[in-house]
């Protein structure tokens, strides 16, 4: 198996599902339901937000990212020198010395972003592995694979390219029965109910931008009830989020999502996901399932050529029609589904805070 996230014993699930070799079938991954980590609070050290603030203060020349160590239920800050390691330890987090700093790895990713748009690829910094990893699916030709490998060769162990199974696809366009939203052109999944910060009575629905970026503007739920109309979509500059105005006074727009067994999970706030945290997704095709957020800030080029950046990646099996569906942890909104690789059981998420900030919205 190719080197991946970490060698710690309890990270084997993440390694097996995000590496070059798939160690679990999609059915196995899709039926696992780990307990969500509420607010990513940990027993033996600072919270995820506090740890990220520490890493941000130390800077990318001394650190290369943060991730959750499930062995110790504490956050790890990757560091490049002993002085920084001591400061991390004094703050209560776990320091782990690595070879490459964040600035170096980010620069490699930026070079890839500027040079390639190869359909069927995903790349970004793999924080626990301390590498930039390019993942090329089964549709990438041998010539394109070689071009990526040759491009990365000068960077040595800081970057490499691996093969993964399946195809990298957007997950809309399925017209099936079930709990979905549709506009006569595509069917997608309802993401989060949101409201304007400046006007709490103004409610809307967040979903994927490639769903709202269609000629159909009026949206209905599964029984045909009208729920609202498209008011925006952002599929430029690597984004994939859109907004539907909630516009039917006879419909109650609850601020929750569908969780295990169809039970509603209230959503009260939003935040960024953390590497190695357990998160859950919901969608009209694949319903509810949980997995591990293994990668962040990934650049993905779908097989139709659409290129998205800044995506979170989880080992949660999803299907066509799940686009726009929510990624969440307990009552925290994390992301909106953009696409998936069905065979490899990866799913890709637009971080929700970027979409909320763009529209001046908040979850409730």
């Amino acid at each position: 198996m190719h080197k991946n996230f970490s060698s710690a014993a309890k990270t084997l699930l993440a390694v097996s599902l995000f590496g070059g070799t798939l160690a679990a079938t999609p059915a196995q991954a899709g039926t696992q339901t780990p307990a969500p980590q509420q607010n990513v609070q940990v027993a033996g050290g600072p919270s995820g937000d506090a740890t990220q603030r520490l890493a941000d203060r130390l800077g990318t020349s001394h650190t290369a990212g943060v991730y959750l160590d499930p062995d110790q239920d504490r956050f790890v800050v990757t560091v490049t020198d002993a002085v920084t390691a001591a400061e991390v330890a004094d703050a209560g987090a776990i320091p782990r010395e690595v070879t490459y700093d964040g600035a170096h790895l980010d620069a490699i990713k930026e070079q890839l972003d500027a040079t390639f748009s190869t359909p069927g690829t995903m790349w970004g910094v793999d924080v626990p592995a301390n590498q930039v990893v390019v993942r090329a699916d089964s549709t990438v030709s041998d010539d394109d694979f070689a071009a990526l490998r040759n491009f990365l060769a000068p960077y040595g162990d800081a970057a490499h390219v691996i093969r993964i199974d399946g195809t990298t696809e957007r997950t809309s366009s399925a017209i099936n029965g079930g709990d979905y939203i549709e506009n006569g052109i595509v069917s997608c999944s309802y993401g989060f109910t949101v409201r304007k910060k400046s006007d709490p009575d103004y409610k809307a629905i967040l979903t994927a931008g490639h769903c709202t970026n269609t000629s159909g503007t009026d949206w209905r739920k599964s029984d045909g009830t009208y729920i609202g109309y498209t008011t925006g979509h952002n599929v430029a500059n690597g984004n994939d989020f859109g907004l539907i105005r909630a516009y039917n006074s006879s419909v109650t727009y609850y601020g929750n999502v569908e969780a295990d067994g169809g039970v509603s999970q209230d959503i009260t706030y939003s935040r960024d996901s953390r590497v190695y945290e357990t998160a859950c997704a919901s969608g009209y095709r694949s319903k509810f399932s949980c997995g591990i957020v293994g990668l962040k800030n990934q650049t993905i080029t779908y097989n139709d050529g659409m290129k998205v950046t800044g995506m979170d990646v989880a080992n949660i099996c999803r299907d066509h029609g799940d686009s726009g569906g929510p990624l969440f942890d307990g009552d925290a909104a994390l992301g909106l589904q953009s696409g998936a690789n069905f065979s490899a059981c990866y799913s890709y998420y637009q971080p929700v805070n970027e979409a909320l900030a763009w529209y001046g919205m908040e979850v409730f």
Side-chain angles (χ1 to χ4, degrees), residues 121-340:
T121 57
M122 172 176 72
W123 58 69
V125 177
D126 185 328
V127 173
N130 193 228
Q131 292 177 313
V132 172
V133 180
V134 178
R135 293 167 170 85
D137 73 17
S138 60
T139 68
V140 175
S141 69
D142 290 342
D143 287 346
D144 285 341
F145 188 91
L148 288 161
R149 185 179 56 204
N150 293 338
F151 180 84
L152 295 176
Y155 297 106
D157 290 338
H160 71 157
V161 58
I162 61 175
R163 282 281 188 187
I164 61 172
D165 294 334
T167 59
T168 304
E169 304 177 49
R170 292 188 285 169
T171 46
S172 62
S173 302
I175 307 296
N176 285 19
D179 185 14
Y180 65 91
I181 58 174
E182 58 85 17
N183 65 0
I185 305 298
V186 296
S187 60
C188 291
S189 293
Y190 191 114
F192 297 103
T193 305
V194 296
R195 64 188 179 193
K196 271 191 176 181
K197 289 184 176 181
S198 60
D199 180 8
D201 291 331
Y202 186 107
K203 293 182 180 179
I205 301 156
L206 275 181
T207 188
H210 70 264
C211 295
T212 57
N213 186 26
T214 58
S215 59
T217 59
D218 290 332
W219 290 84
R220 291 170 172 77
K221 61 179 186 173
S222 58
D223 63 2
T225 301
Y226 174 76
I227 58 172
Y229 58 89
T230 297
T231 59
H233 50 80
N234 190 326
V235 290
N237 302 315
N239 296 313
D240 191 8
F241 55 82
L243 195 70
I244 299 167
R245 173 72 191 275
Y247 205 66
N248 186 341
S249 60
S250 65
V251 174
T252 301
Y253 300 91
Y254 291 107
N256 55 35
V257 296
E258 184 175 327
D260 197 13
V263 175
S264 294
Q265 167 65 58
D266 193 25
I267 298 296
T268 63
Y269 74 110
S270 63
R271 63 169 174 81
D272 292 334
S273 67
R274 303 297 184 201
V275 176
Y276 280 3
E277 78 166 287
T278 296
C280 300
S282 190
Y284 91 82
R285 286 294 300 276
S286 303
K287 306 305 180 185
F288 173 82
S289 190
C290 300
I292 295 170
V293 178
L295 299 165
K296 290 180 62 63
N297 194 26
Q298 298 291 297
T299 296
I300 300 160
T301 304
Y302 294 121
N303 62 353
D304 61 1
M306 178 180 174
K307 186 175 181 178
V308 292
T309 60
M311 295 290 125
D312 294 344
V313 183
N315 61 2
I316 304 174
C317 295
R318 302 280 90 187
D319 204 343
H320 288 292
D322 291 325
S323 274
L327 182 73
F328 56 99
D329 180 357
D331 60 345
L334 303 180
L336 301 161
Q337 187 178 331
S338 173

Side-chain angles (χ1 to χ4, degrees), residues 2-214:
H2 297 280
K3 180 180 178 184
N4 232 290
F5 293 163
S6 170
S7 59
K10 286 196 176 181
T11 64
L12 287 177
L13 174 62
V15 171
S16 66
L17 287 177
F18 287 92
T21 303
L22 209 61
T25 65
Q28 289 172 314
T31 56
Q32 294 184 13
T33 308
Q37 297 150 346
Q38 295 283 349
N39 302 335
V40 197
Q41 299 294 320
V42 290
S47 69
D49 287 342
T51 306
Q52 189 61 56
R53 286 194 297 270
L54 169 65
D56 291 343
R57 179 172 58 79
L58 294 170
T60 58
S61 63
H62 298 284
T63 69
V66 173
Y67 65 94
L68 179 65
D69 183 341
D71 262 341
Q72 303 187 53
D73 196 25
R74 291 169 64 191
F75 282 97
V76 174
V77 180
T78 56
V79 300
T80 56
D81 59 83
V83 173
T84 306
E87 191 167 352
V88 169
D90 288 344
I94 301 172
R96 177 187 159 221
E97 191 164 348
V98 295
T99 303
Y100 305 105
D101 63 36
H104 181 62
L105 297 177
D106 288 343
I108 298 172
K109 179 187 179 295
E110 289 170 5
Q111 287 297 313
L112 282 163
D113 286 349
T115 307
F116 292 95
S117 296
T118 308
T121 57
M122 172 176 72
W123 58 69
V125 177
D126 185 328
V127 173
N130 193 228
Q131 292 177 313
V132 172
V133 180
V134 178
R135 293 167 170 85
D137 73 17
S138 60
T139 68
V140 175
S141 69
D142 290 342
D143 287 346
D144 285 341
F145 188 91
L148 288 161
R149 185 179 56 204
N150 293 338
F151 180 84
L152 295 176
Y155 297 106
D157 290 338
H160 71 157
V161 58
I162 61 175
R163 282 281 188 187
I164 61 172
D165 294 334
T167 59
T168 304
E169 304 177 49
R170 292 188 285 169
T171 46
S172 62
S173 302
I175 307 296
N176 285 19
D179 185 14
Y180 65 91
I181 58 174
E182 58 85 17
N183 65 0
I185 305 298
V186 296
S187 60
C188 291
S189 293
Y190 191 114
F192 297 103
T193 305
V194 296
R195 64 188 179 193
K196 271 191 176 181
K197 289 184 176 181
S198 60
D199 180 8
D201 291 331
Y202 186 107
K203 293 182 180 179
I205 301 156
L206 275 181
T207 188
H210 70 264
C211 295
T212 57
N213 186 26
T214 58

